[in-house]
Amino acid sequence: MNPTFFRLQYSSAMPHCSLKTNLNNLHPITYNINPKIFRSKIIMSYTQFLADETATIQFGRQCAALFRAPAIVYLNGDLGAGKTTFTRGLLRGMGHTGTVKSPTYAIVESYTLPEITINHFDLYRFSTAEEWEDAGLDDLTPNSLCLIEWAQQGSDYVPAPDYIIEFTHQDNGRQCIIHAQTPNAQKELAQWQTTYSTAAN
C-alpha cells in the first residue's frame, strides 16, 4: 500500500468530518473526531501500512527526521499494536544504541542523546489522571521529545499533543497514521513527507 497524505477540516459544530485523500479515486470517508484531543482547526495527516515488526522499526527510523524537541507525541493504539516497536526504531534513528524497554511499569523511560532527550511514557496503569501531576511528570516535558502511550489516562493533566500517531491492526500488519496537530507540526510533516516520499521512490 502506498502512503497517503491528506488534510482534514474540522468544525466544532460538526462532530463528524468529511475527509478526502490524495489518491486518484478520491472519495469522502467519515472520521470520528474527539474535540478534546484534536484541538487544531486543521489536521494534516500521513498514512503508512506496516507489514511487520521490521517495517515498523524501519518506519520509526525514518520518522527520526520528523520530530524536533520540544514536542509532545501521543502514541495511540491497542496493546500489541506496535507503539513500543515504533519507538525502538525511532530511538535507533536518533542514534540510541542501547536497550529500549517498555515503560509500562516504570511509567517513563528517558534517553539522553547528544542532541536530544527523549522521554517515553506509558500511562496504561494509571488509576487516576492526577497520577501525572503526583509523579511530577510535567518536569520532564520541557525541551524534550515526549512520546506518550495511553495519554487519555492522564486526561487534561497531560500536555496537548503536537502529533498523534495511531496504530491499528489491518490485514496481517498495522496501519500507522501520523496526525500533525499544530501549525508548526504541519509544516514539519509536509517537509518530511516530501523528503520521505522522494527517498522511498
Side-chain angles (χ1 to χ4, degrees):
M1 178 182 291
N2 293 326
T4 303
F5 193 59
F6 52 79
R7 183 181 290 264
L8 181 150
Q9 179 71 46
Y10 168 68
S11 168
S12 59
M14 298 174 61
H16 293 83
C17 306
S18 179
L19 175 152
K20 289 188 177 182
T21 72
N22 68 339
L23 301 178
N24 291 330
N25 56 335
L26 292 177
H27 60 284
I29 63 175
T30 300
Y31 198 90
N32 291 324
I33 299 299
N34 180 347
K36 198 171 184 179
I37 298 296
F38 288 84
R39 302 179 185 184
S40 58
K41 293 297 182 181
I42 295 179
I43 302 166
M44 182 177 291
S45 301
Y46 180 91
T47 300
Q48 177 73 51
F49 177 73
L50 305 171
D52 51 28
E53 181 176 346
T54 299
T56 303
I57 291 174
Q58 179 60 24
F59 187 62
R61 283 180 175 271
Q62 290 159 338
C63 286
L66 169 59
F67 302 120
R68 299 177 178 85
I72 304 295
V73 181
Y74 289 3
L75 302 177
N76 291 353
D78 294 335
L79 292 170
K83 301 184 295 295
T84 298
T85 301
F86 171 85
T87 300
R88 185 178 300 115
L90 180 66
L91 284 163
R92 293 286 182 262
M94 290 184 167
H96 177 69
T97 57
T99 303
V100 177
K101 297 185 294 184
S102 172
T104 300
Y105 292 99
I107 300 178
V108 60
E109 295 286 346
S110 298
Y111 306 87
T112 301
L113 303 177
E115 297 183 0
I116 191 171
T117 296
I118 301 101
N119 294 305
H120 181 198
F121 300 85
D122 187 332
L123 312 186
Y124 180 75
R125 297 172 64 84
F126 271 19
S127 299
T128 64
E130 288 80 2
E131 289 185 49
W132 174 276
E133 187 175 61
D134 294 342
L137 299 182
D138 273 330
D139 294 339
L140 298 177
T141 58
N143 304 315
S144 66
L145 173 62
C146 294
L147 311 172
I148 307 176
E149 300 186 30
W150 302 98
Q152 67 271 26
Q153 296 291 93
S155 189
D156 287 340
Y157 288 94
V158 178
D162 296 288
Y163 295 91
I164 296 175
I165 305 181
E166 295 186 89
F167 297 88
T168 56
H169 296 275
Q170 180 173 302
D171 300 327
N172 293 323
R174 306 285 187 272
Q175 178 171 267
C176 175
I177 307 178
I178 302 174
H179 302 285
Q181 299 294 114
T182 63
N184 188 57
Q186 290 163 15
K187 291 178 183 178
E188 292 174 348
L189 182 59
Q191 293 170 354
W192 174 86
Q193 189 261 350
T194 301
T195 303
Y196 173 62
S197 296
T198 300
N201 293 328

